[in-house]
Amino acid sequence: MKMQHFFFLPLLFLSDFLAVESISPNERKLRKAKLPKIRKENSVLLLKKSNFDRALKETKYLLVEFYVSLSQASQNVSKEFAEAARLLKKEAPRIQFGKIDVTDQHDLRKEFNIQEFPTVKFFVDGIREAPIDCKGVRRASAFITWLKRQTGPSTVLINSTDQVEAIINADDLAVIGFFKELHNDSAEVFRETAKDVPEMPFGMTSSEDICAHYGIQTNALVVFKKGKPVHNEVLEDGRRNKLDLTRIIKTFTLDLVTEYNLETSVKIFDVPVENHILLFIPTNSETFNTTYENYKSAAAEFRGKIMFVLVNTNETRNGRIFEYFRIREVDVPAVRILNLTSQAKYKMPADEVTVENVRHFCQSYLDGKAKLHLSSEEIAEDWDKMPVKVLVGQNFNRIVFNRTMTVFVMFYAPWSYDCRKLLPIWDELGEKYQSHKDVIIAKIDITANDVLSVAMDRYPFFRLFPAGPDIQEVPYVGEHNLEAFSEFLEEQIKMKAETREKGPSRGMKGVLSQKETVITEKEEL
C-alpha cells in the first residue's frame, strides 16, 4: 500500500506542474494582480468607457443612468436612483446600478443614442446591444417596482374576488386584466405593459367567477380609481399594442384636463402621449367656467390620443410657455395643439371654445388635415454682416442644413438672464471663427421663430450642424465658456474632416436653397 502511495505522488506533482506550465506569463500576472473594484458612489457604480464593458460582464442585471452633471433634472433623478440602489442592495444583489456622465463620454453617448437627460437603460446578461429603455420613471419606489417587474412576474395572478378588492383598494389606481385564458397574445401584451407602468399595481385573472362578478364577458383591461372602475378597454388579439395600453393607462395618473404648473409639468411629459392640446385662459375671467366645461367635455373622447392641458394666463410663472406659443393677452382664450415629436404647432381655426369646435379641431389634427401654425421674424438686411449670423424661421433650414459649412447655433430667449449673460461670449466665439470660411457661428431667438427640424430644450441650448451630405445635429452639453465652445467646435470639425466633401469651400454662397434642403417633419399621431 505504501508503495502505491509513493507511485502516485510523482504523478500528482507532475499534473500540478503541467497545469501551472499551461498558464501563460501574462495570465499569471493578471491572476496575481486582481483588477480593483469599480468605484461606487452612494451604492451606484461610476462608469465610463474604460470600465463599462467589464461592468456588463460582471453583472447579471445593470440599470444605467446616462446624465449630465449640469442638468437639474439629472440631479433630481440621480438622488432617487441612488436611493433605489441603496434599498435594493441587500434584497436583490444581482441587480446593480450604474451612472455615466456623458459630458465627457462621447463614445458611449453616441453608441446608445442618448438625446435626453437623464436617460435610463437596462442591460441584461451583459448584452450590450438593444438595452431596455426605462422611461418616465423618476422615483426610487418606481425604479424598484420597474426592476422587479423586469426580472420577475410583472403582474399578480388573481384567484379570488377578495384578491381583486385588496389590490384595487390598496392604491389610488390599479389595473386588472380579465382574460378567458392567460396564454394568448392579449394577455402577453398586458404583461409587457405592466413592466412599463410601475406607478400602479397590476393583476390578472382567467377565473370565470371573478369575470362574472365584475360583469366582464370578454378579454378586457379595467382601470380602477379608489376602488371604482373608471375605464374598460376591450382587448382583442392584435388590436392593441403595449404603447397604446401604456398611453391609456398613464393618462389616469392625471386629471382629464390637467392644469399646467411647475408641479404638474413633469407628470404631463412623463405620460407617453405625444399630442397635447392647450387652452390658454385666465382662470378668474367671467367666461372661464363655461369655456372650461366645453373644453373638458371634448377631452374624454380623445383619451390616450391627445392630452388636454389648461394654462392659466394670469400665472406669471407660466411666462415661458406663453412665449413658446406666442400667446398675447389679446389672443385669449386660445387653443393650440403641439406635437412633441416634431414640435409642430397648430392653431384652432375657430375663435369660440365650444365642445363642437374643440372636437372638430382634434379630429382634423388626428386625420392629418389641420394646418401648421408657424411663426418667423423677417430676415434682417444685415443678418450675415456681423461675426454671429442672425437666423430666423424663414432662413434657418437653408443656412444650417448645407453641404459645405459647419454651423454652430445658439438658441436663446431674449428675456432669459442666462441667455443675456452668454450672448457676449457667443459674440467672442463668432469673432474667433470669423475668418474660417467653412464655419458659421449663429444665433436664433427661439421665442419668436418656429423651427420644426430641431428638438427644443431649456434655454439657452446649443446645436452643431456639421458640414456633409447628411442632415445631422450634434447637441452641445459642455461648459458655457469660450474655451469649452472652441474645443467642442474644433473636435467636431476634426471628426468630420475625413467624411466631408472634398474641394474648396464655397463659403456663404455655397449654402443650399430652401427647396434643395430636405427636412423630414415627423408627426406621430
Side-chain angles (χ1 to χ4, degrees):
M1 291 295 291
K2 289 182 180 180
M3 289 294 292
Q4 288 179 341
H5 285 302
F6 283 117
F7 177 76
F8 282 112
L9 282 174
L11 292 178
L12 291 171
F13 176 78
L14 180 61
S15 64
D16 289 340
F17 176 78
L18 291 173
V20 171
E21 284 300 299
S22 66
I23 301 171
S24 68
N26 287 336
E27 287 177 313
R28 281 203 295 271
K29 287 181 181 178
L30 287 174
R31 289 190 179 185
K32 285 182 179 179
K34 289 185 178 180
L35 290 172
K37 290 184 177 180
I38 298 175
R39 206 157 59 86
K40 283 188 176 184
E41 181 181 88
N42 297 326
S43 301
V44 178
L45 297 169
L46 300 180
L47 302 176
K48 50 189 175 181
K49 183 180 178 181
S50 60
N51 64 15
F52 184 66
D53 191 53
R54 177 187 164 197
L56 288 176
K57 290 178 180 178
E58 293 179 353
T59 310
K60 171 71 174 177
Y61 301 113
L62 180 62
L63 189 68
V64 179
E65 177 195 6
F66 296 84
Y67 72 101
V68 288
S69 54
L70 294 177
S71 163
Q72 185 61 51
S74 289
Q75 293 172 21
N76 293 340
V77 170
S78 291
K79 291 178 182 177
E80 298 291 329
F81 197 75
E83 177 64 8
R86 185 187 68 81
L87 293 171
L88 270 185
K89 189 175 182 180
K90 291 183 178 180
E91 182 182 346
R94 292 198 304 171
I95 298 175
Q96 291 288 325
F97 291 69
K99 63 180 182 179
I100 299 172
D101 186 347
V102 296
T103 304
D104 57 357
Q105 297 294 314
H106 303 296
D107 290 344
L108 291 176
R109 175 177 176 172
K110 183 178 180 181
E111 178 182 352
F112 297 109
N113 191 30
I114 307 302
Q115 301 291 335
E116 299 177 357
F117 309 101
T119 292
V120 180
K121 292 181 179 289
F122 187 49
F123 298 84
V124 179
D125 291 329
I127 299 173
R128 198 180 186 110
E129 296 74 24
I132 301 168
D133 287 321
C134 178
K135 293 183 177 180
V137 181
R138 295 176 181 272
R139 301 295 181 191
S141 58
F143 276 121
I144 291 171
T145 301
W146 190 90
L147 284 166
K148 287 181 176 179
R149 291 183 183 178
Q150 295 293 327
T151 58
S154 59
T155 69
V156 176
L157 186 59
I158 297 171
N159 297 309
S160 69
T161 55
D162 287 343
Q163 274 185 284
V164 177
E165 291 300 312
I167 292 173
I168 65 177
N169 288 298
D171 292 275
D172 282 349
L173 290 167
V175 183
I176 306 295
F178 298 88
F179 299 94
K180 291 184 177 179
E181 55 102 1
L182 298 177
H183 301 288
N184 56 33
D185 290 344
S186 293
E188 185 57 32
V189 170
F190 181 81
R191 291 188 187 94
E192 289 300 311
T193 302
K195 291 181 179 180
D196 282 353
V197 190
E199 299 91 345
M200 58 190 78
F202 274 65
M204 63 190 305
T205 184
S206 60
S207 165
E208 293 182 3
D209 292 340
I210 297 175
C211 291
H213 179 82
Y214 290 95
I216 307 297
Q217 298 179 347
T218 184
N219 292 340
L221 172 157
V222 179
V223 180
F224 291 84
K225 189 168 186 176
K226 298 187 184 301
K228 304 294 183 183
V230 292
H231 183 77
N232 185 317
E233 187 74 24
V234 175
L235 301 178
E236 297 179 12
D237 286 353
R239 289 286 300 276
R240 290 289 188 186
N241 59 36
K242 181 176 73 170
L243 183 57
D244 288 337
L245 296 184
T246 302
R247 283 172 176 157
I248 292 169
I249 294 167
K250 282 206 169 188
T251 60
F252 287 94
T253 62
L254 300 170
D255 295 330
L256 193 57
V257 175
T258 303
E259 182 174 351
Y260 180 91
N261 54 48
L262 295 176
E263 289 72 34
T264 62
S265 59
V266 172
K267 294 181 179 180
I268 288 172
F269 291 110
D270 277 347
V271 177
V273 176
E274 295 175 333
N275 306 310
H276 290 191
I277 185 170
L278 302 97
L279 168 63
F280 294 86
I281 188 172
T283 55
N284 63 350
S285 69
E286 293 180 0
T287 60
F288 172 75
N289 289 337
T290 301
T291 303
Y292 176 77
E293 288 303 320
N294 289 341
Y295 184 67
K296 184 178 179 180
S297 295
E301 183 179 340
F302 299 98
R303 184 182 284 279
K305 298 176 183 177
I306 302 177
M307 183 178 295
F308 278 62
V309 179
L310 169 70
V311 183
N312 180 11
T313 56
N314 279 341
E315 174 55 72
T316 56
R317 289 178 297 179
N318 290 337
R320 284 195 172 189
I321 197 168
F322 304 153
E323 291 276 0
Y324 181 76
F325 284 92
R326 329 288 195 241
I327 299 296
R328 301 168 301 172
E329 188 176 349
V330 296
D331 297 326
V332 298
V335 178
R336 301 286 189 271
I337 285 179
L338 171 69
N339 179 279
L340 298 184
T341 301
S342 66
Q343 301 296 316
K345 304 185 191 77
Y346 301 81
K347 177 182 178 181
M348 188 172 76
D351 292 329
E352 191 176 356
V353 184
T354 65
V355 178
E356 188 56 38
N357 285 343
V358 174
R359 183 183 292 125
H360 182 268
F361 180 39
C362 290
Q363 195 57 55
S364 66
Y365 167 76
L366 293 176
D367 292 340
K369 297 178 181 178
K371 292 183 180 179
L372 280 170
H373 180 65
L374 299 175
S375 298
S376 174
E377 296 176 297
E378 293 298 320
I379 301 174
E381 290 185 7
D382 60 348
W383 72 273
D384 60 344
K385 298 299 188 291
M386 301 297 288
V388 175
K389 313 309 175 188
V390 180
L391 305 182
V392 295
Q394 294 180 35
N395 68 356
F396 183 86
N397 289 345
R398 178 167 58 87
I399 302 304
V400 303
F401 296 112
N402 67 83
R403 295 192 176 120
T404 61
M405 310 290 287
T406 291
V407 187
F408 199 9
V409 183
M410 175 182 180
F411 297 79
Y412 73 98
W415 44 262
S416 164
Y417 171 77
D418 290 337
C419 291
R420 293 199 303 270
K421 187 171 62 175
L422 282 174
L423 283 171
I425 296 175
W426 202 246
D427 287 337
E428 289 183 52
L429 187 70
E431 292 172 4
K432 182 174 181 177
Y433 286 91
Q434 190 172 11
S435 60
H436 289 63
K437 294 182 179 180
D438 56 352
V439 174
I440 296 175
I441 306 300
K443 64 182 179 182
I444 183 169
D445 176 359
I446 204 61
T447 68
N449 299 278
D450 286 322
V451 179
L452 299 184
S453 49
V454 176
M456 295 298 104
D457 207 339
R458 187 178 181 87
Y459 317 130
F461 63 95
F462 308 86
R463 297 287 187 270
L464 183 132
F465 303 88
D470 301 322
I471 295 172
Q472 298 180 57
E473 172 189 334
V474 183
Y476 175 79
V477 294
E479 298 285 342
H480 291 173
N481 58 58
L482 181 62
E483 183 181 2
F485 286 135
S486 300
E487 287 180 0
F488 171 77
L489 184 53
E490 293 292 342
E491 178 186 331
Q492 292 297 321
I493 292 172
K494 184 177 180 182
M495 287 172 59
K496 281 292 177 182
E498 297 180 357
T499 57
R500 283 188 305 181
E501 290 185 353
K502 303 299 181 182
S505 169
R506 291 176 290 169
M508 288 296 292
K509 294 181 181 179
V511 297
L512 296 178
S513 69
Q514 185 88 20
K515 293 181 180 178
E516 293 173 311
T517 303
V518 179
I519 305 296
T520 301
E521 296 173 0
K522 296 191 301 178
E523 288 190 28
E524 297 181 13
L525 304 180

